[in-house]
Amino acid sequence: MVMHLQPGGVFNPLEEVAFDRKELGVILGLYGRMVAAGEWRDYGISHLRDVAIFSVFKRTAEHPIYRIEKRPKLAQRQGQYSVIGMDGQILKRGHDLKTVLRVLERKLIRAVE
């Protein structure tokens, strides 16, 4: 929870959606493997009122190639986690973060010659 100072010195608590420690551990584990494989280079995290976003970049100064989003309002429907591609297409959505992230782990699997 973040506290924002209102005019007149009154504090108003505003809820923000955030990734918890366990979720960040899962995401950063995948991130580390992808960096080691040379697929990803940088990331950014945004915590907003309705959504938490982990953005992944191939180059630092460009648009994210993937966004991992957490939307708690969708938890009872399609699932609160989703992976979204650069073009805005939802690649995978679900209730379990590890399962949703498998769509990105396929990039790590390469044929060995």
Side-chain angles (χ1 to χ4, degrees):
M1 184 179 306
V2 177
M3 300 293 281
H4 293 278
L5 188 60
Q6 295 271 319
V10 177
F11 280 102
N12 180 23
L14 292 177
E15 298 273 339
E16 288 183 343
V17 176
F19 293 106
D20 63 29
R21 184 181 301 243
K22 183 179 176 185
E23 293 165 335
L24 277 177
V26 171
I27 294 169
L28 290 173
L30 172 63
Y31 176 78
R33 292 190 304 274
M34 295 300 265
V35 168
E39 294 289 328
W40 297 351
R41 186 178 181 114
D42 200 6
Y43 72 90
I45 299 176
S46 301
H47 296 143
L48 307 172
R49 184 178 283 265
D50 296 329
V51 61
I53 305 169
F54 187 96
S55 301
V56 177
F57 300 88
K58 181 79 171 176
R59 305 262 185 269
T60 304
E62 65 181 28
H63 296 287
I65 56 173
Y66 298 108
R67 291 188 330 261
I68 301 164
E69 294 188 355
K70 175 183 177 181
R71 293 182 182 269
K73 288 185 179 179
L74 297 177
Q76 299 301 319
R77 296 181 188 150
Q78 304 102 328
Q80 67 179 340
Y81 302 109
S82 59
V83 173
I84 301 169
M86 188 182 332
D87 58 356
Q89 180 181 7
I90 297 173
L91 304 176
K92 183 82 172 168
R93 178 179 280 159
H95 299 281
D96 180 58
L97 181 59
K98 287 182 182 181
T99 303
V100 171
L101 293 179
R102 283 187 195 147
V103 72
L104 298 175
E105 289 179 352
R106 292 183 189 147
K107 293 249 182 209
L108 287 174
I109 301 171
R110 294 189 179 135
V112 179
E113 296 179 17

